[in-house]
Structures are given as C-alpha cells and as structure tokens.
Amino acid sequence: MVIEPLLPTASRTRATRRVAIGDVIVGGDTIPVIAGPCAVEAGYGAHAEAVKQAGASALRGCVLKPRTHADSFQGIGAAGLPLIDRAREATGLPVLSEPLEPGDIAMLDGHADALLIGARSMHNTPLLRAAGRSRLPVVLKRGMSATYDEWLAAAGYITAEGNADVILCERGIRTFETATRNTLDVSAVAVLRDRTDLPIAVDPSHAAGKATWVPALASAAVAAGADALLIECHPDPQRSVCDAAQAVTPQVLARIVRATASIAPLIRSVQLDSMASCRSAIDAVDDVLIQLLEQRAAVVEVVQRGKTAAGLPRRDRRREREIVARLHALAPRLGEQRVRRLVEVIINECVDAAREAADGPDVEKVVA
Ligand code: PEP
Ligand code: MN
C-alpha cells in the first residue's frame, strides 16, 4: 500500500536507486543532511563534532579545493587526511571529499566514504572515468552552466565504468542575477526525477552564497523532493578559511535538519511494505504532529492571556463545534466521532498548558 503525500510533488517522490555513503542511505526514507566547513582546516575535529551535534548525517571533508583564482587557498592537501580520519572515527559519520584529478582518488580512498566531484570538474572526463573505476559512491555536482542532459551525460561517464553509485547534486547555475552567488534551480529536482533513477541532492550554500538565505533554499529543495542536502557549516563562520559568507552556524544547521525531517512526511509517499517502513513513517508523522501541537499550545497561550485580560471565559463551545465541523471533513478515515474526541483532547490540553503557564501547575493534578 502507498500513502500519497500531502504536498504535490514530482511524479516520483524519491530516487529508485539508493546509494549508501557509509551506512547513510541517500534516496531512501530519510533525507540526510551532509554538512561541514567548505574546506578541512585547523580545528576540523571540533567543526565535525559541532556538525554531528546539529544532527547532520555525514561530513564534508575537502582537503583539496577547486578555486577560481590560483592565489586563493587551495586546501591543506594530504596533511588534512589525519584530520578526516580522526573526525570520522570520533563522530562515526561518513566523510565526503573532493578529488581534483584522477590521481587524487587513490589518496582519498581509505579516508573518504564518498567522492565529491565539484561543479568545475563536471566536464573533466578523465576524472569522471577514474571516479567510475573507484569503489566509492560519487556525488556529482552540476556544472555552472550545464544543462540537465550534459549533467546526466557526465554521470554516464561514471556509470559506464561500472560505478552505479552516483548522486546528482544541484548547486545553483549561472544566470543574469547577481544578488545570489548562483541561482538555485529547484526545477532540477522535479525534472531529473523523471529522467533518472539516481538520487538528487541539493547544495543551497553555493547557490545562495550568503548564510542567511541558506535555510529557505534548503526548505525549497526538500519540498521539491530532494533526496539529500549538502550544506556548509562552521562554528565560527567568519573565520572559515573558505566561503565564509555562506557558512551557517551549527545552530542554524540544527534548524535546517529539524525542518528537513518535518517537511519529509508532507512530501514523500510512504510505501508500506514492511513493519520497519511503517514504523519509520509513523515516527516521522508523530514528530511533525507533536511540533505542530507545541506551536498550537503557544498560540492558545496568547489567546488565553487575551481572554483573561478581557474577562472572557476560557472556552467558547460554539467555536469548538465549528472546529470539529471543519476538521472532520479533512479526515474521512477517522470520521466525525473520533475527530470530535481528538479535538476535545487537543483543546483541553492546550488550554490546560496555558493555564499552567499563567498560574503554575494545577494543584489537583500535582496531588494526583
Ligand atoms: C564546494 O563544495 O566547496 C565547491 C567548491 O562547490 P562547487 O563545486 O559547487 O562550486
Ligand atoms: Mn565551498
């Protein structure tokens, strides 16, 4: 049985092929957030720990940086490998790292769990072929001006060598707009869903170019059906050696991770084909339900304060009947009686919570 999602999505709501990065599945039931600083730098161990605490599922661990300017920081190179090893060991999270040329792949193998092919390298066919010959999964970013066909053709160089574990990553394209670093092409998620069975990730950081815009773009990507997010995060963004302006703090990353988990049940059809898939579907829905109830309680608290100030009764039975009448139409499976009972409980608990917030706990309840 399949349960259709609340929000309209692309024809398929997730990839057909599931790609494992370590034990993190991309294209499956959850939407992993891969995060970390743009480049591995001194303090990487603490950066990785902060990213893990924020709820990320995998780490960016780039020791080689493809830079536009030759005199920009180029990455710390092989000296960064022990930092990756320690972070991987300490956090238990898999690591993505970027090779710039075929010979770099052997250097990264054994330290990284997946290869990241950056936008500047999407047309580097010898590198794509070498990634295809490696046993590592490959996250293939879209070139700055690449069409979907060119991007898929680049993926074809990897798969042609026998490596089917490719994740496509939209990271913004070059357009006439200059306010953002690039223009996030959210359409890529919907269109590629129809054209490929590969998972589709989105990197809102390199699209936005500015940290304050990253959460909104991340939400848009997940709502469009992205299978994973790739986000630059640094505990002290201004001191990031690379791409400082777009690095979010771990606090913001934690909000993005929570929002991603909350949006997922609204956009993903749920395939109820095993007890485990049923349970994870229930958990995902419960997480959203309870957060929405928490929000409802906060609103009711304000309403109750207003009513108290105006000398109005706490409850308005006519309005409660209207709520039931409106809601039961949205839940035919539950039916009117159950919706009535559920709404009654929700209203009671929210009003109770507001009363406790105003007066302290109900004495009778404390004694009971
Ligand atoms: C990066 O991920 O740090 C990077 C260089 O991104 P892109 O290749 O998308 O520019
Ligand atoms: Mn970067």
Side-chain angles (χ1 to χ4, degrees):
M1 180 181 173
V2 175
I3 298 190
E4 293 304 326
L6 228 50
L7 296 182
T9 51
S11 51
R12 283 182 290 140
T13 57
R14 73 193 72 194
T16 308
R17 168 169 286 278
R18 295 178 176 207
V19 175
I21 300 179
D23 54 12
V24 172
I25 304 294
V26 180
D29 290 334
T30 57
I31 301 173
V33 176
I34 304 160
C38 177
V40 171
E41 52 179 286
Y44 182 68
H47 304 165
E49 191 52 44
V51 161
K52 182 194 166 122
Q53 291 306 324
S57 303
L59 296 171
R60 287 179 56 98
C62 297
V63 295
L64 305 167
K65 293 306 305 174
R67 302 306 298 275
T68 300
H69 298 281
D71 57 357
S72 300
F73 171 68
Q74 304 284 313
I76 60 176
L81 298 176
L83 298 181
I84 298 183
D85 293 344
R86 281 202 291 277
R88 198 171 170 223
E89 171 84 26
T91 60
L93 300 183
V95 173
L96 271 70
S97 202
E98 177 166 359
L100 301 185
E101 50 186 292
D104 297 336
I105 294 176
M107 177 185 93
L108 296 174
D109 201 355
H111 304 280
D113 300 276
L115 300 174
L116 179 65
I117 306 262
R120 290 161 189 76
S121 300
M122 193 209 84
H123 294 287
N124 182 343
T125 51
L127 180 63
L128 298 173
R129 281 209 169 94
R133 287 191 298 273
S134 84
R135 47 163 202 92
L136 292 167
V138 181
V139 176
L140 176 63
K141 286 198 167 184
R142 180 184 190 178
M144 294 183 196
S145 303
T147 63
Y148 300 144
D149 285 339
E150 288 163 344
W151 188 10
L152 289 171
Y157 272 88
I158 302 170
T159 54
E161 296 291 333
N163 186 350
D165 288 339
V166 178
I167 298 163
L168 300 164
C169 181
E170 161 65 34
R171 44 77 75 198
I173 50 173
R174 184 159 283 179
T175 69
F176 50 81
E177 183 54 72
T178 54
T180 47
R181 183 175 178 178
N182 292 286
T183 295
L184 183 67
D185 179 18
V186 180
S187 310
V189 181
V191 176
L192 289 179
R193 195 60 94 208
D194 277 343
R195 297 217 187 153
T196 176
D197 66 350
L198 299 175
I200 304 151
V202 170
D203 169 352
S205 305
H206 290 84
K210 189 169 158 182
T212 49
W213 299 331
V214 170
L217 300 194
S219 294
V222 176
D227 294 300
L229 293 175
L230 180 65
I231 293 182
E232 288 191 346
C233 173
H234 193 289
D236 190 357
Q238 283 166 4
R239 298 182 65 179
S240 182
V241 295
C242 192
D243 285 349
Q246 69 196 34
V248 298
T249 61
Q251 291 75 17
V252 171
L253 181 65
R255 284 197 59 206
I256 293 173
V257 171
R258 275 199 305 277
T260 298
S262 299
I263 299 168
L266 304 179
I267 52 139
R268 301 217 131 187
S269 61
V270 183
Q271 194 87 42
L272 302 178
D273 49 9
S274 66
M275 187 57 87
S277 67
C278 292
R279 289 204 161 141
S280 80
I282 286 178
D283 289 349
V285 171
D286 285 349
D287 287 356
V288 180
L289 266 181
I290 208 77
Q291 289 179 75
L292 291 176
L293 286 173
E294 175 71 13
Q295 266 189 25
R296 189 184 195 284
V299 177
V300 169
E301 203 177 303
V302 173
V303 170
Q304 291 293 321
R305 272 206 299 273
K307 284 184 169 181
T308 307
L312 293 170
R314 284 188 207 279
R315 306 285 291 256
D316 176 345
R317 299 290 167 185
R318 207 183 63 170
R319 163 141 170 88
E320 291 176 15
R321 277 197 298 279
E322 282 167 11
I323 294 177
V324 173
R326 181 168 53 85
L327 295 188
H328 83 79
L330 299 175
R333 188 175 275 114
L334 289 169
E336 186 170 357
Q337 297 294 326
R338 282 191 191 81
V339 169
R340 185 191 311 284
R341 289 197 292 271
L342 284 168
V343 170
E344 183 72 19
V345 170
I346 290 170
I347 292 176
N348 281 341
E349 295 303 325
C350 289
V351 170
D352 254 21
R355 186 173 32 219
E356 280 182 23
D359 315 339
D362 187 321
V363 176
E364 276 176 39
K365 277 197 183 162
V366 172
V367 174

